[in-house]
């Protein structure tokens, strides 16, 4: 099962169906009021003769875009809403989407269910971490407990649910035949004229062993195609997962090497280290100016997660990680 990179030549917010006899659509959930928030947040619609589902309906602010796209696709029924995780830009609109499709059932990590049923703590945490951006995303609409598919029922689903807690403890991926909806297990990607740009998505609380194990788990499933939550679909799933695995260790090594600097000097030194040592991140300069601005914003979050992790290592653990060879590609 393979699909091409979403096309920009189709009607707004849609990518072409290409899984004959099934259909797969990428629905862009752009935020025009935020610099660079285009071709970044997306929901995915899958439909065949028996099943229709949406992966990550996005934040409340972009729900009108999602609903417009579903209407254009003549979706009259949703069977499932699959959440890779409950961060506000992925799951914030879930409760509101259920008002439009009340028969749909939600698949979500058990750790995330309670936060969506009573989202006040999740909302306050989003405000604390994201500030004004959380306000732009919109509040989180509660989801009824009865809307969730119980974990013991997951084996009956027509796809495989895979625990991938590297990005967040409530993160999971979904394998449909040889197509993997990977969320942020492999980080963030963006095509540029210079080639592929990628970076890890490692907010606090980050743990390298858990992140690497998550990548290894999906690598072992041997998917052929992979959907990045941010952003797009790629046919070379194994290659991108190996790149992500290599980046995780490389970035941690860079954090260790810059950890002795003054705190305010570390981000710039770490950035310089990556431009020298990480070929995918070094293509940052080929991104459009607004995408660069967005990526600089999120880079600080990824760096903070890794910096906090490195701060908790002892000297022997740091030395072991620095001596560890980078995984092969």
């Amino acid at each position: 099962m393979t699909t091409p990179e979403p096309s920009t030549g189709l009607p707004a917010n849609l990518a072409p169906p290409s899984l004959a006899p099934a259909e797969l659509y990428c629905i862009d959930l752009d935020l025009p009021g935020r610099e660079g928030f285009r071709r970044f947040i997306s929901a995915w619609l899958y439909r065949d003769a028996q099943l229709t589902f949406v992966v990550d309906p996005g934040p409340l602010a972009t729900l009108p875009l999602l609903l417009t796209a579903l209407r254009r696709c003549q979706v009259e029924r949703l069977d499932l809403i699959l959440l890779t995780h409950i961060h506000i830009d992925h799951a914030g609109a879930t409760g509101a989407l259920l008002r439009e499709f009340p028969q749909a059932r939600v698949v979500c990590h058990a750790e995330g269910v309670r936060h969506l049923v009573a989202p006040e703590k999740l909302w306050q945490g989003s405000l604390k971490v994201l500030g004004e951006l959380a306000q732009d995303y919109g509040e989180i609409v509660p989801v009824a407990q009865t809307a969730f598919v119980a974990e013991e029922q997951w084996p009956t689903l027509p796809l495989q649910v895979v625990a991938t807690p590297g990005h967040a403890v409530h993160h999971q991926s979904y394998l449909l035949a040889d197509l993997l909806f990977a969320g942020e297990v492999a980080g963030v990607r963006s095509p540029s004229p210079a080639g592929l740009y990628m970076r890890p998505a490692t907010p606090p609380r980050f743990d390298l062993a858990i992140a690497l194990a998550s990548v290894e788990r999906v690598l072992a499933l041997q998917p052929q195609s992979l959907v990045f939550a941010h952003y797009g679909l790629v046919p070379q799933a194994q290659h991108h997962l190996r790149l992500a695995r290599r980046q995780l260790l490389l970035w941690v090594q860079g954090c260790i090497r810059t950890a002795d600097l003054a705190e305010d000097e570390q981000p710039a030194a770490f950035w310089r280290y990556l431009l020298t040592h990480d070929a995918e991140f070094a293509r940052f300069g080929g991104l459009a100016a607004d995408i660069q601005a967005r990526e600089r914003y999120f880079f600080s979050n990824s760096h903070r997660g890794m910096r906090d992790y490195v701060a908790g290592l002892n000297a022997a653990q740091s030395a072991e990680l620095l001596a560890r060879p980078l995984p092969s590609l």
Side-chain angles (χ1 to χ4, degrees):
M1 181 182 296
T2 58
T3 54
E5 183 72 17
S7 166
T8 59
L10 291 168
N13 304 319
L14 295 182
S18 54
L19 295 179
E23 299 174 338
L24 181 66
Y25 297 85
C26 176
I27 302 171
D28 286 332
L29 303 176
D30 295 348
L31 282 173
R34 301 291 306 195
E35 187 177 21
F37 277 66
R38 57 182 176 88
R39 293 176 66 83
F40 178 59
I41 303 173
S42 60
W44 286 79
L45 168 65
Y46 173 87
R47 177 169 59 186
D48 62 25
Q50 288 78 40
L51 180 69
T52 302
F53 65 75
V54 164
V55 182
D56 288 350
L60 183 62
T62 60
L63 181 65
L65 294 175
L66 176 59
L67 294 177
T68 296
L70 294 178
R71 284 193 292 268
R72 287 179 177 173
C73 292
Q74 299 181 317
V75 173
E76 298 179 356
R77 174 187 174 88
L78 278 183
D79 298 299
L80 296 171
I81 300 170
L82 308 179
L83 303 180
T84 61
H85 56 303
I86 64 166
H87 288 164
I88 189 172
D89 56 327
H90 295 258
T94 305
L97 182 60
L98 284 167
R99 294 173 182 167
E100 306 293 328
F101 297 94
Q103 77 286 347
R105 290 297 171 260
V106 181
V107 183
C108 175
H109 191 283
E111 184 68 21
V113 169
R114 60 189 175 93
H115 291 294
L116 291 176
V117 171
E120 180 59 25
K121 184 176 180 180
L122 179 60
W123 172 241
Q124 293 301 324
S126 300
L127 288 172
K128 182 178 179 180
V129 173
L130 300 174
E132 186 179 295
L133 176 57
Q135 297 282 6
D136 287 349
Y137 281 149
E139 292 196 26
I140 302 166
V141 177
V143 178
Q145 182 77 47
T146 54
F148 292 95
V149 178
E151 189 170 354
E152 57 267 24
Q153 295 176 304
W154 291 356
T156 67
L157 295 173
L159 44 77
Q160 185 175 349
V161 183
V162 188
T164 47
H167 176 68
V169 295
H170 44 77
H171 192 289
Q172 54 195 26
S173 303
Y174 300 95
L175 184 70
L176 179 67
D178 61 3
L179 171 65
L180 182 71
F181 294 93
E184 294 185 61
V185 69
V188 171
R189 71 174 285 277
S190 184
S192 80
L196 174 65
Y197 164 85
M198 273 182 64
R199 65 163 171 83
T202 53
R205 298 165 289 175
F206 168 73
D207 184 287
L208 177 63
I210 294 173
L212 288 174
S214 295
V215 177
E216 295 290 355
R217 190 170 294 121
V218 289
L219 266 170
L221 298 174
Q222 298 187 322
Q224 298 304 302
S225 302
L226 183 150
V227 169
F228 282 79
H230 310 290
Y231 168 89
L233 187 147
V234 294
Q236 305 90 8
Q238 298 284 303
H239 174 67
H240 285 79
L241 289 168
R242 288 192 292 267
L243 277 176
R245 179 178 61 184
R246 184 183 182 91
Q247 276 192 318
L248 284 166
L249 179 56
L250 175 63
W251 281 47
V252 166
Q253 290 178 340
C255 274
I256 293 171
R257 295 188 186 281
T258 56
D260 290 337
L261 298 174
E263 186 172 337
D264 61 346
E265 296 176 356
Q266 289 180 26
F270 183 51
W271 184 281
R272 292 193 297 271
Y273 179 90
L274 295 175
L275 291 179
T276 302
H277 294 86
D278 184 343
E280 281 64 46
F281 183 79
R283 297 192 183 102
F284 173 87
L287 300 174
D290 62 326
I291 306 298
Q292 288 189 21
R294 184 198 74 210
E295 282 301 293
R296 283 188 181 276
Y297 174 87
F298 284 106
F299 167 82
S300 63
N301 206 30
S302 291
H303 178 223
R304 186 165 66 252
M306 287 199 171
R307 186 178 63 192
D308 291 352
Y309 166 75
V310 165
L313 300 175
N314 60 39
Q317 291 169 325
S318 294
E320 187 277 326
L321 287 172
L322 287 175
R324 190 183 299 184
L326 295 175
S328 63
L329 297 177

